[in-house]
Amino acid sequence: MDNFNIMDYAPIGVMFLVAIGFAVSQIMVTQLIGPRKRTATKLMPYECGKDPVGSARDRFSIKFYTVAVIFLLFDIEVLFMVPFAVAFKKLLQMQQVTSISYGTIAFVEILVFIATLVVGYIYVWKKGTFDWGLQARAEARAEARAMVAAKKAELAELRKAA
Amino acid sequence: MNTILLQAISNPDVNLQAILPETIVAVTGIIVMLYDVFAPKQKNVTTVISLIGLAIAAYFMYSMWGGGPTTSWNGMIANDPLRISFSLVLLFVAAVTILTSTVWSERETVPVGEYHALLLFATFGSMFMASGNDFVIIFLGLETLSIATYVMAGLRKSDLKSNESAMKYFILGSFASAFLLYGMALIYGATGTTNVALIAERIASPTFPGLLLMGGAMLVIGFGFKVATVPFHVWTPDVYEGAPSPVTGFMAAGPKAAAFASFIRVFVIGFPLIGGATAAGYLHESWVTALAVMAMLTMTVGNISAIVQNNVKRMLAYSSISHAGYAMVGFVGAGVAKTPEVRDAAIAAVAFYLLTYAVTNLGAFSIISLVGQKNDRRTEFEDYNGIGFKSPVIAFSLSLFMLSLLGLPMTAGFIGKVLVFRPALEAGSVMLTTMVVVAVVNTAISAYYYLRLIVVMFFRERTTDWSEPKMPVGVAAVLLITIIGVFYFGLFSGSWIEKFVTPSAPTAVQAAK
């Protein structure tokens, strides 16, 4: 801590200012120039449409949980890759100074890590976790087929009449 | 140039060969997982893939005997008889469990491929618990093992009992993991290292002696939960009863052996008796006393509770608690050993004991899975009434396993018990001798409920109808392996015990031969 310099932290301070400024400016701009329609739904506490009064023991679709787990998968991927990226340059330098292959080992390790994650990704993909509307799509398809059949029957009747 | 940096990062001691068996198991698990997701209708392909992977891993693990460095990866991975013998037990348990579960995956709609992948990942974690010479590796292995096992316990998604089992195991298991991790943190605070070998050197002059004792106590709780010792055993019967029978057999044999492996490594190797050091001496004395008392309690409570059970799976759950107590007798014997040779022999005895227990227990659970039918409907004692002469293969082999669990001479269980009791008896202290006496008395108590099952099968009238379950090839293979194993380890155990003691690296002792 002997070469502590407050100016080293200046980028973090700037980042803070930008973040606060962005958030405040966005809210101000929408307040100032956005159109307003005061309907009953829009004035509810949660604009997403969640009823604020009622039983708290609601059931959620299992899909939310699987999505949360997958989010964790990629969250952790980034969490590990940032320190790797920070350290990698230094490790490469050390590889040149000593004859020990620090950089290569680190690179191979991160590749193995990503490969493991990709396996998980393929797994959840094939399991259909990203497919949110399987049932809805099947219903829509059945409906479309019924419509086509009805149309065909109608046409056939018209032809017969002709 | 850059000397400060170079000191900060030590040489990356990469030794892929040292973790080759673990890697093979993990890669097999990934292959199984991917195969299953691309061909979800399969039932037997992943069985074959898993068995091949486990066999290759076992081959490489076996070939490590007598070669290679004692530690690798900067001391994180040990390569000693403790690791190799326990890892072989774990691989054996996994392979037999996969064979047993063929019965169950055929008649029920369970996700077979996922089950095999989870089993392989659990084995991977448990092998790292055996090989980890560092708290970090041990904890990672434990978590990999535990999370896979929690899921396996709840594999029957629509069965409430299975759900209860998974839920209880998960909540209590994470609680125990937290204790373990906290204990590791305190030990790190006291010694400034997570490496077990370095801890053994530094406990002579710890930074904070109080932390050492508290950390040790927390580690006892964490590991004690995993091996199911009294008073940390309460989860065992419920979890074992609700989990699908093949999984129960696995949980009683695999995770227990893995937890014993790291338990022994941390306490016997990490907290040895060091002459002239007060803190270390106090730590050693307290953990030996605590574990001796726990061993006595575990055996007694396990056996007495098993007597009153009416469900065979619950009975075997309590029996597994008491067997953890017997294994702890050998463990404490290893703890008080005066010389490294005696210590290694005692550790080998515990490994051998867990091998015999695994052989016997997996055989018993394969029969329970077979008799249990769909969703383990028939697991009460009454369901075994009078099947003795109607289905002689099932009844006689189950009787053999019960006798081996009891420890009748000529069976594997007998040799195992003799071996674990001997080091404690030879130590010559009053407490340890009492412990052995309690163990022998408990063996006599356990005769009641083991023999009860045999009596029920052969001498009771059956009131309900009995249709002999069809025996699949997998279960037949398990029965063959385990029956031969029970007799083989009971009669010709010498070569294996010797093998378990053999140091992996050529040492002075070997050179003298």
Side-chain angles (χ1 to χ4, degrees), chain B residues 231-277:
Chain B
F232 314 112
H233 70 290
V234 187
W235 58 279
T236 319
D238 286 347
V239 172
Y240 281 21
E241 190 192 352
S245 295
V247 177
T248 313
F250 172 74
M251 286 199 291
K256 193 174 285 235
F260 259 113
S262 14
F263 205 172
I264 289 174
R265 189 181 296 283
V266 170
F267 279 84
V268 175
I269 298 177
F271 302 149
L273 183 63
I274 297 173

Side-chain angles (χ1 to χ4, degrees), chain A residues 90-91 93-94 97-98 100-102 105 109 116 119-120 122-123 126-127, chain B residues 1-2 5-6 9-12 14 30 33-34 36-38 73 111 114:
Chain A
K90 214 168 271 175
L91 288 172
Q93 279 175 0
M94 280 170 61
V97 176
T98 62
I100 302 161
S101 49
Y102 291 104
I105 291 168
E109 274 178 5
T116 319
V119 166
I122 295 171
Y123 181 76
K126 288 299 284 185
K127 279 271 162 185
Chain B
M1 188 185 161
N2 256 339
L5 249 180
L6 284 180
I9 302 175
S10 51
N11 190 0
V14 176
I30 289 174
M33 196 174 98
L34 283 182
D36 178 61
V37 85
F38 281 100
W73 298 89
E114 280 174 31

Side-chain angles (χ1 to χ4, degrees), chain B residues 471-482:
Chain B
M471 194 179 290
V473 187
V475 178
V478 170
L479 283 186
L480 197 67
I481 294 169
T482 45

Side-chain angles (χ1 to χ4, degrees), chain B residues 79-366:
Chain B
N79 185 16
D80 50 7
L82 170 60
R83 179 236 180 138
I84 300 171
S85 48
F86 271 98
S87 292
L88 283 174
V89 174
L90 295 166
L91 288 167
F92 172 77
V93 169
V96 173
T97 308
I98 284 174
L99 279 176
T100 309
S101 45
T102 51
V103 55
W104 152 66
S105 53
E106 260 167 35
R107 65 181 180 217
E108 287 178 43
T109 50
V110 286
V112 184
E114 280 174 31
Y115 166 68
H116 288 149
L118 285 169
L119 192 68
L120 289 169
F121 292 143
T123 311
F124 165 74
S126 52
M127 284 168 79
F128 266 119
M129 283 183 80
S131 61
N133 199 27
D134 193 289
F135 279 166
V136 178
I137 298 288
I138 290 176
F139 186 73
L140 279 179
L142 180 89
E143 281 303 284
T144 315
L145 163 69
S146 304
I147 291 170
T149 324
Y150 302 148
V151 182
M152 284 200 290
L155 214 55
R156 281 198 190 114
K157 279 182 269 186
S158 52
D159 183 18
L160 273 182
K161 267 195 167 174
S162 185
N163 286 345
E164 178 199 346
S165 156
M167 196 69 189
K168 278 187 177 163
Y169 196 26
F170 171 61
I171 291 175
L172 293 173
S174 8
F175 196 53
S177 295
F179 266 103
L180 190 76
L181 197 58
Y182 199 24
M184 287 174 174
L186 291 179
I187 298 282
Y188 175 74
T191 59
T193 178
T194 52
N195 189 296
V196 175
L198 281 178
I199 287 171
E201 286 169 19
R202 292 193 194 168
I203 56 164
S205 52
T207 329
F208 300 105
L211 287 188
L212 205 60
L213 284 176
M214 272 172 67
M218 297 234 174
L219 287 178
V220 168
I221 296 174
F223 283 126
F225 174 88
K226 288 289 165 195
V227 298
T229 56
V230 176
F232 314 112
H233 70 290
V234 187
W235 58 279
T236 319
D238 286 347
V239 172
Y240 281 21
E241 190 192 352
S245 295
V247 177
T248 313
F250 172 74
M251 286 199 291
K256 193 174 285 235
F260 259 113
S262 14
F263 205 172
I264 289 174
R265 189 181 296 283
V266 170
F267 279 84
V268 175
I269 298 177
F271 302 149
L273 183 63
I274 297 173
T278 9
Y282 196 55
L283 176 69
H284 182 263
E285 196 192 326
S286 28
W287 79 252
V288 166
T289 316
L291 288 190
V293 172
M294 272 167 71
M296 288 190 256
L297 275 176
T298 306
M299 290 181 286
T300 317
V301 172
N303 278 320
I304 290 176
S305 310
I307 287 178
V308 294
Q309 300 306 319
N310 283 320
N311 184 304
V312 179
K313 272 168 94 177
R314 278 186 93 85
M315 183 272 273
L316 282 176
Y318 279 109
S319 137
S320 94
I321 294 173
S322 62
H323 278 274
Y326 299 137
M328 273 173 84
V329 174
F331 176 6
V332 175
V336 295
K338 299 276 190 309
T339 62
E341 287 78 37
V342 178
R343 187 193 70 186
D344 288 346
I347 294 175
V350 177
F352 185 78
Y353 182 80
L354 288 166
L355 176 65
T356 60
Y357 177 65
V359 169
T360 317
N361 202 46
L362 288 169
F365 268 102
S366 74

Side-chain angles (χ1 to χ4, degrees), chain A residues 42-105:
Chain A
K42 284 232 170 199
L43 287 172
M44 266 165 50
Y46 305 121
E47 253 183 285
C48 58
K50 178 105 186 66
D51 200 350
V53 184
S55 170
R57 302 176 67 184
D58 242 354
R59 285 194 164 191
F60 294 98
S61 172
I62 190 87
K63 282 169 187 154
F64 289 108
Y65 296 95
T66 52
V67 167
V69 170
I70 295 158
F71 167 73
L72 218 62
L73 191 77
F74 293 107
D75 204 29
I76 287 176
E77 175 176 9
V78 175
L79 209 70
F80 273 122
M81 274 166 80
V82 168
F84 162 78
V86 171
F88 188 55
K89 219 173 177 180
K90 214 168 271 175
L91 288 172
L92 276 183
Q93 279 175 0
M94 280 170 61
Q95 180 163 4
Q96 282 174 347
V97 176
T98 62
S99 53
I100 302 161
S101 49
Y102 291 104
T104 318
I105 291 168

